[in-house]
Amino acid sequence: MNQGRFGRWVLAALLSTTSATAAWAQDTTGEANPDDIVVTAQKRQQSTKDVPATVAVLGEEQLARAGVKDLFQAAVLVPGTTFSRAPDDGLQLTIRGLGTPARTQSFDQSVALFLDGAFLGKGRLYSSAFFDVERIEVIKGTQSTLLGKNTSLGAISIVTKKPGTTTEGYISGGAELEYGGAFVEAAATLPVSEQFRFRFAGKYSDTRGWVHNERTGGNYPKDRDIGLRGTAVLEPGGGVDATLSYQYSDTRRIGNGYQFVDPQGLLPASLGEGVLDGTKTSFMSQGREGQSVHEIKSHIGNLTINVPLGDNTVTSVTSYAKYDLSFADDFDFGGKNATYFLRGEDYNQFTQELRITSPSEGRFSYIAGLFYFNSDWNSAETQIYNTPLAIPPGTIFQGGFRNDFTQKTETISGFLSTTYKFADTVRLNAGIRYTDETKDATYGRVAIAPITFWNQVVNPPFAKTPLKFQDDFVNGNVSLQVDLSPAVTLYGGYGRGSKTGGFAESAQVLLGNPALPSDAGGSAVLTENADSFELGLKGSALDRALNFELAAFVTKVGNFQDTTFTGSSFDTANVKVRSAGFEANFRARLGGGFRLEGAVTYADAKITAPTPRPVAGAPRWTGNAGILYDHDISSNVALFANAYVRHRSTMYHQKVLSFRSEPWTPVDLTIGLRDTQDRWEVRLAGRNVFNAISADFSGPPADPTLAPSIRADAPSPLRTVRLEGTIRF
């Protein structure tokens, strides 16, 4: 039986045990419901049951038990979500099969990221150090009214821990046993008084990867993360509160997992085996340790102030973020040391949101506000090619050039979200948002000696060209919620969201004029518009021992900003896209210390015009199912364990469908001991313990001398085993 079928059978078997939950759950009658999760997806504190959209929540316990150390590991725990890294660290983040393709960094993300309510405007910031997190909320579908800019296909909200009124903290550390490495994380709350308090948190992690390079003898990628955060809360009285935070992050990755895969046996023996098996042979003199190197240093500051105004609350959210980036990438993926990209970026942004929120208890409630965004991004990328192939009228893949790109973005928007209760059991939600955005850019290309057909005709130089993009649009959401019973809610909703267009800094610009449309020899792309429909059911049963969510969805995107790598160029164009499917998830307390949970997403995402084909990074099936166990083995010590099986079906990465990932079904296991008073904990966590392997990302190597059947694939993370201990005080 192939892995794809096996994964679906395992998921089906585990999910089907829900039917047996009724008998078990009777033992838990009358217990408080630990699964009544509170989120802030709609800028209010609400139970997930009261949000008319699909919101997946990863809490502190789940993140810890899964051994999650970054956002990439967290995202794949949510069915319907994929998060892959291209060779140049471009992010391929999709929800329900849709998201911004990898590579083009001048594009905004259509799945936005928020850190403590502050919008982060660049995909590079998604890899910032991840630590001292209270929860992650993954909001699926279009939520443009309140979340605004670039949430046309969803959003991820990271909520960090805030200082309380008592002195407390923790120190946690451990080792990666499979490949080597260590990590430590600590945090402490220090109250000066009941009104004024601080929290300080930090992280250091240095771990080795799962792909062995036979040329250098090392295991890659090697990841080193440093993170520091300080948070201060002031509550002077009268209902006023202010939260100020600053986070510094320094992330470095040496090497990557990309290796040659050759299904037809045409790969030269000097470049490796040609099998996706976690071994490679590569070398790059411009990086570190003979490998690619990526380093990003970022700073993020945020100030949130809440002030009562009568029965309402006025909230100000002010944030600033910046990063500096230095990349050196091996793009021949082997030992030739011939083709490489060198990139430097600097970015800074400022955002200001001011909103007023009414109480939610009345028949009519609202949130209204203004949002301002300003950013400045500079990028210089040198591309050197030295794998020549003579094809009349000239030689290709020989010579180099540098793309210089700058972009200033300014956004102003206003929004209003309302809820009207026709009765205690019937609620209508409606919202509207107006946005005006301007991008002022420059784009130029300089040839680097030797002067060749490749850097004069195929990738022609052109003078730094001023470019301007402006668009304004109206987005919004409307939904109806009906409580079928005190425990079950039916909802239906529609949302329209937009992601502004602009200019692709990765475009080939074959005609030497970047102001032309990207599919006509330039770099310009249009604004992307998404229309999303969702019908869902949320609720609980068996005295809330069983919690469930069901949803069906359709999303249509006009002018979807698609980018694909052909092996010689990055082609960008506006296309039409559609995704349709359903989702289901449940959480059940079985009694006897057992809990069962599972989720599955089916998303049929495809480009519908001009040429039908699958969307990159869009598996039809994703899901997980797990069983968790907690048991007090004495008055002071408790045993905990959990087992999860995750599944992702086949997905594609480029226009040519041979660049694909086979189905992947990893199994994660955790076992540990903890103090019943929550003072200490030790756990052993294994991810992908049976070494299931599939390509995390796939594309053609930038080497025309290789057979067309040869791919450059990065294997999904292989088995990791982490021993970790935590002491709380």
Side-chain angles (χ1 to χ4, degrees), residues 2-281:
N2 67 40
Q3 191 185 92
R5 291 182 179 178
F6 171 76
R8 285 191 280 273
W9 276 110
V10 171
L11 279 171
L14 284 170
L15 288 168
S16 67
T17 58
T18 313
S19 61
T21 304
W24 292 63
Q26 301 305 317
D27 297 335
T28 66
T29 301
E31 293 182 14
N33 182 22
D35 297 306
D36 192 10
I37 301 170
V38 175
V39 297
T40 53
Q42 296 197 121
K43 303 196 176 183
R44 296 181 185 269
Q45 288 196 342
Q46 295 174 291
S47 166
T48 53
K49 174 178 172 292
D50 297 326
V51 179
T54 300
V55 181
V57 181
L58 301 174
E60 179 183 1
E61 178 190 16
Q62 187 174 1
L63 294 170
R65 286 196 174 189
V68 169
K69 299 301 177 186
D70 58 43
L71 188 58
F72 297 91
Q73 294 178 348
V76 297
L77 297 180
V78 179
T81 303
T82 67
F83 205 173
S84 304
R85 278 174 148 158
D88 64 344
D89 226 21
L91 305 182
Q92 182 174 273
L93 172 59
T94 66
I95 292 180
R96 293 174 172 172
L98 300 178
T100 300
R103 175 55 185 168
T104 306
Q105 297 301 318
S106 56
F107 286 177
D108 300 317
Q109 292 290 318
S110 50
V111 177
L113 178 66
F114 296 83
L115 179 64
D116 291 326
F119 169 72
L120 301 180
K122 272 293 178 197
R124 302 294 198 195
L125 293 169
Y126 290 32
S127 59
S128 298
F130 183 90
F131 59 104
D132 201 34
V133 171
E134 178 181 305
R135 69 180 183 274
I136 299 175
E137 303 173 12
V138 180
I139 304 103
K140 301 182 180 183
T142 301
Q143 303 298 322
S144 58
T145 298
L146 289 172
L147 300 183
K149 181 176 167 63
N150 304 332
T151 59
S152 54
L153 299 175
I156 298 175
S157 174
I158 300 175
V159 180
T160 64
K161 295 180 184 177
K162 305 301 185 295
T165 57
T166 59
T167 300
E168 56 84 21
Y170 68 90
I171 182 168
S172 179
E176 208 297 302
L177 305 181
E178 188 77 12
Y179 301 105
F183 47 90
V184 64
E185 179 179 320
T189 289
L190 303 173
V192 177
S193 66
E194 290 189 1
Q195 291 76 35
F196 190 38
R197 48 197 185 268
F198 292 94
R199 186 175 182 89
F200 300 98
K203 169 190 179 178
Y204 178 83
S205 174
D206 194 347
T207 57
R208 299 176 182 89
W210 52 92
V211 176
H212 181 72
N213 190 329
E214 296 182 339
R215 173 77 177 266
T216 66
N219 281 4
Y220 303 98
K222 291 184 177 179
D223 288 320
R224 189 227 58 202
D225 292 347
I226 299 172
L228 298 170
R229 184 188 305 119
T231 305
V233 172
L234 175 65
E235 295 177 342
V240 176
D241 67 77
T243 302
L244 175 66
S245 66
Y246 164 77
Q247 174 175 308
Y248 169 77
S249 173
D250 181 350
T251 61
R252 185 187 68 197
R253 167 166 280 204
I254 297 176
N256 57 49
Y258 281 87
Q259 60 179 110
F260 289 119
V261 175
D262 179 17
Q264 297 183 12
L266 301 176
L267 182 71
S270 61
L271 296 180
E273 302 170 314
V275 178
L276 188 67
D277 59 0
T279 61
K280 63 184 291 187
T281 302

Side-chain angles (χ1 to χ4, degrees), residues 493-568:
Y494 162 77
R496 181 174 177 82
S498 300
K499 185 184 78 168
T500 51
F503 305 92
E505 100 289 348
S506 61
Q508 187 177 13
V509 194
L510 188 60
L511 298 183
N513 181 1
L516 296 173
S518 59
D519 56 357
S523 70
V525 294
L526 301 174
T527 294
E528 180 179 296
N529 296 300
D531 293 285
S532 297
F533 303 85
E534 184 169 331
L535 180 66
L537 189 71
K538 300 183 179 188
S540 60
L542 306 172
D543 198 21
R544 302 203 301 179
L546 172 65
N547 290 265
F548 61 87
E549 296 183 9
L550 306 170
F553 59 87
V554 176
T555 299
K556 297 181 179 181
V557 186
N559 292 326
F560 180 80
Q561 297 164 3
D562 183 51
T563 297
T564 189
F565 183 48
T566 66
S568 62

Side-chain angles (χ1 to χ4, degrees), residues 82-87 90-94 97 99-103 258 261 276 560-567 569-571 605 607 613-619 648-664 693-700 711-716:
T82 67
F83 205 173
S84 304
R85 278 174 148 158
L91 305 182
Q92 182 174 273
L93 172 59
T94 66
T100 300
R103 175 55 185 168
Y258 281 87
V261 175
L276 188 67
F560 180 80
Q561 297 164 3
D562 183 51
T563 297
T564 189
F565 183 48
T566 66
S569 64
F570 296 93
D571 292 352
I607 294 174
R613 60 180 171 88
V615 177
R648 167 186 54 72
S649 63
T650 300
M651 66 178 179
Y652 300 91
H653 300 278
Q654 312 293 340
K655 281 182 181 179
V656 180
L657 299 187
S658 60
F659 300 107
R660 70 176 196 173
S661 300
E662 300 299 332
W664 187 50
I693 192 166
S694 176
D696 192 54
F697 193 88
S698 177
R711 311 191 306 262
D713 289 3
S716 51

Side-chain angles (χ1 to χ4, degrees), residues 293-312:
V293 62
H294 294 169
E295 185 162 12
I296 303 176
K297 296 180 180 181
S298 65
H299 306 262
I300 302 172
N302 185 29
L303 173 63
T304 301
I305 302 173
N306 294 296
V307 179
L309 182 63
D311 293 333
N312 303 317

